Amino acid sequence: MIALLRYQAALLIGSHRWLPPVILYAAFLAVGIQTGGPMLDSYGFAAAGTLPMAVWLARICVTSEPPAARNCAAAAAGPGRVHLASLLTAALGALLLALGGTAFVALTSDPHFSDHRVAVPVLPATAAGLLTALACVLLGIAIGALCNWPVLRSPGSAIPAGLLAALLLSVLGASPANAAVTGMVSGSAHGTVSMPWLPLAGTVPIAVAAVAAACVLSSRRN
Amino acid sequence: MKLDGVGRRYGVRGPWVLRDVQLEVPARALVRIEGTNGSGKSTLLRLFAGIDRPTAGRITGRPRAAYVPERFPAALPFTAAGYLTHLGRIHGLRGPEAARRAGAWLERFGAAGHAGTPLARLSKGTSQKVAVAQALLAEPGLLVLDEAWTGLDQGAREVLGSAVAERVADGGTVVFVDHDPRRLAGTADARYRVTGGRLVLEERGRAEDAAVVAGPRVIIEVQGAPGSAPRSGDGPDSPPLPGRPTIAPGPDGTIRLTVPAAHSDALLRALLMARPPWHIRSVTAAPPSATDPDEPRMDPGSLAHCDARDARNAHDAYAAPRPQAARAPHGVPQARDESGRNVHHDPGAEARP
């Protein structure tokens, strides 16, 4: 599995297809986060941006190999493991992005609640920001796993489906990612830091199930 | 490896591409699959390689597989050597060993000059060499070739042919499709045809196998470097030498390997590519008397040279049933092979100070 992860990571890095999502995320942070804004709101905003980026990275990693090369690796290691490695690589890439976003917020935001008077406990707030980002990344990877090969095979359906799912799950109140981000923003307004344990507990099984389904399907569809 | 009632169709209501495939493939076998375009050959090969899962039935006992696609349009951000090293690691090799073998195979295919070239800039033929090297460098138990010869130059085709013979001689299974009926003609153990979604046996048995065994033989006298270990290694799963030579002690601490002339190239290559390489003292044609397959070729007393572990391995090998035992009349009997391997360990020990 480590060899497969190294291979997929080298594919991702060498192909330079990671550049557009990273640049877009950097622009999103630069435009959306005001220097000196309240810390918890900024964490929530930065985390919300990682969801579509995770969807995008999942698509990049899943489609990074031409079918002939994928078959060679699949014969050696099994198609399910090859697919799992590509989704894990996307998840690791999105987590790096989330770490970068969290660090940016930690350095530039104002460590106070939204009234700008009461100080925010920085460490718990950063932990809550990271967990929120993790929930968004996991949900994004789940969308990416279900909206690409082998579940949706043609780009004509995969890309719109991925975009729509990313939008809906960012906006709809029932989505765990939305719940985590809302929790950060309302915590800032009410002067509390709440850890997003419940949304995270919702996203983990969703992500595991989606990735497992995609990996099982990878040897059945073609 | 066994395919039991295997069927495959694409989509829930799609037509069956393959149905009710019953097939048992032993280790140490070369299997040819024939069929017209679109008959389902490639689907069958993908099932063999484990890239696809059968819709019906099951496949059991698949060894570690390697697959060579017909075309390898690798738009990958690697150099040829870099890609091969990655694939070697995925096959379970350590990084330096994978890199060494990548270089060795590129050299054998005459593509060593392209080791540092990005895959995207390789010609079609050189890409195909990379695709073939990718499968061969890890010495897989099952090698699946989907028209792998297409696009290779004449020299590389011959190298691939002998590499296939080496894989089979080392105890591997090779399944291949090729539209040239002369490809590896006469060496396949079985020929099947895919027609109407069914797999039909065309021909079984290696027609000239007996002829090769009874034909001219070659004696190769070799000497191991001090402290050298034979390529076949110490483990009980180590493969025997190509052509299954008869091994006997020669003069001056050398050993004599007697092998059918048809396998001598593969054996010489295996000896020279071993680390450290064996020193070839002489290659001579064997007198006709050495061709009698029933003549006892091994002095049983020489087993006494072996250490206890080797003797145990030999014992296990006697006890364990092996698929190729069924082919004993064609090949060299199992016991001889195992004891031969043990003798093969000797000169290394003798050569040590």
Side-chain angles (χ1 to χ4, degrees):
Chain A
M1 200 67 209
I2 290 171
L4 276 173
L5 283 173
R6 276 182 79 161
Y7 172 61
Q8 292 286 348
L11 272 173
L12 175 63
I13 295 165
S15 71
H16 300 295
R17 290 173 71 191
W18 52 271
L19 265 171
V22 169
I23 290 171
L24 186 68
Y25 187 64
F28 173 82
L29 291 183
V31 170
I33 293 180
Q34 291 165 334
T35 321
M39 185 176 240
L40 284 177
D41 295 274
S42 301
Y43 274 141
F45 189 79
T50 60
L51 190 148
M53 297 306 130
V55 179
W56 194 351
L57 280 170
R59 172 153 186 87
I60 289 171
C61 286
V62 166
T63 57
S64 62
E65 279 176 292
R70 186 172 54 218
N71 288 345
C72 291
R81 284 156 54 89
V82 171
H83 199 67
L84 178 63
S86 66
L87 288 172
L88 281 180
T89 307
L92 289 176
L95 281 178
L96 274 181
L97 213 56
L99 277 180
T102 310
F104 176 77
V105 170
L107 291 176
T108 59
S109 67
D110 171 28
H112 288 88
F113 290 107
S114 45
D115 56 6
H116 288 285
R117 281 196 300 255
V118 185
V120 165
V122 173
L123 273 182
T126 306
L130 276 175
L131 289 177
T132 305
L134 178 63
C136 291
V137 165
L138 287 178
L139 204 61
I141 294 296
I143 297 170
L146 294 181
C147 291
N148 279 306
W149 187 91
V151 182
L152 296 179
R153 282 172 286 177
S154 88
S157 54
I159 294 172
L163 278 172
L164 191 68
L167 182 70
L168 286 180
L169 288 179
S170 301
V171 173
L172 288 183
S175 137
N178 182 277
V181 173
T182 313
M184 294 293 280
V185 175
S186 63
S188 184
H190 296 120
T192 54
V193 176
S194 57
M195 290 288 173
W197 292 121
L198 197 65
L200 201 57
T203 50
V204 169
I206 292 174
V208 169
V211 169
C215 291
V216 167
L217 269 182
S218 66
S219 61
R220 293 174 199 273
R221 305 188 79 168
N222 170 32
Chain B
M1 179 173 175
K2 196 174 169 192
L3 283 74
D4 190 12
V6 165
R8 182 73 167 101
R9 64 175 169 185
Y10 296 104
V12 182
R13 277 184 292 276
W16 288 94
V17 180
L18 284 172
R19 269 193 117 154
D20 293 331
V21 175
Q22 292 287 350
L23 182 61
E24 199 160 348
V25 184
R28 196 191 297 279
L30 179 62
V31 177
R32 181 186 187 113
I33 310 283
E34 297 172 346
T36 52
N37 291 341
S39 57
K41 299 188 299 291
S42 288
T43 299
L44 181 63
L45 290 197
R46 292 166 60 86
L47 291 173
F48 261 110
I51 301 164
D52 266 5
R53 188 180 285 265
T55 317
R58 50 190 301 212
I59 298 175
T60 48
R62 180 193 293 113
R64 187 165 51 83
Y67 175 78
V68 181
E70 181 201 353
R71 227 171 302 161
F72 190 70
L76 298 173
F78 298 123
T79 62
Y83 174 71
L84 291 177
T85 307
H86 272 296
L87 264 284
R89 277 205 209 96
I90 292 173
H91 272 284
L93 298 174
R94 293 187 168 279
E97 174 66 6
R100 189 187 68 72
R101 292 199 197 178
W105 277 104
L106 284 176
E107 195 174 332
R108 205 172 151 187
F109 278 106
H114 295 291
T117 311
L119 286 180
R121 269 197 264 142
L122 292 180
S123 68
K124 178 181 186 297
T126 314
S127 304
Q128 190 62 20
K129 288 178 185 178
V130 172
V132 173
Q134 160 276 130
L136 290 168
L137 95 168
E139 301 181 347
L142 170 67
L143 179 61
V144 179
L145 305 170
D146 192 353
E147 299 181 36
W149 283 266
T150 313
L152 292 180
D153 56 39
Q154 189 56 40
R157 285 180 189 185
E158 280 162 19
V159 170
L160 178 54
S162 52
V164 165
E166 282 163 30
R167 281 311 320 132
V168 175
D170 279 359
T173 304
V174 180
V175 181
F176 77 102
V177 163
D178 202 86
H179 284 298
D180 184 351
R182 286 164 299 169
R183 180 84 54 222
L184 307 180
T187 54
D189 294 282
R191 233 159 26 91
Y192 293 91
R193 177 169 288 279
V194 182
T195 169
R198 312 270 169 170
L199 191 67
V200 184
L201 177 68
E202 292 266 295
E203 183 185 352
R204 186 190 289 282
R206 198 181 291 202
E208 42 71 277
D209 199 31
V212 166
V213 172
R217 299 174 77 85
V218 169
I219 297 177
I220 302 172
E221 253 182 41
V222 296
Q223 188 161 30
S228 72
R231 191 185 73 105
S232 43
D234 301 307
D237 56 346
S238 62
L241 286 165
R244 312 183 125 218
T246 319
I247 300 170
D252 306 334
T254 59
I255 30 169
R256 248 178 200 198
L257 309 167
T258 311
V259 71
H263 296 299
S264 59
D265 282 1
L267 177 60
L268 281 169
R269 191 175 294 110
L271 290 166
L272 290 170
M273 283 179 76
R275 305 269 150 174
W278 289 76
H279 178 54
I280 312 285
R281 292 282 285 271
S282 68
V283 180
T284 47
S289 64
T291 62
D292 180 1
D294 294 328
E295 182 189 53
R297 294 173 192 161
M298 251 302 302
D299 174 13
S302 60
L303 261 179
H305 291 293
C306 308
D307 64 30
R309 189 179 47 176
D310 280 342
R312 230 182 8 255
N313 291 344
H315 176 78
D316 290 345
Y318 286 123
R322 291 225 183 155
Q324 61 263 36
R327 289 179 43 193
H330 285 306
V332 181
Q334 189 66 44
R336 220 173 271 157
D337 167 41
E338 288 301 328
S339 49
R341 216 169 73 200
N342 285 310
V343 175
H344 195 60
H345 289 251
D346 274 349
E350 281 168 9
R352 274 178 221 121

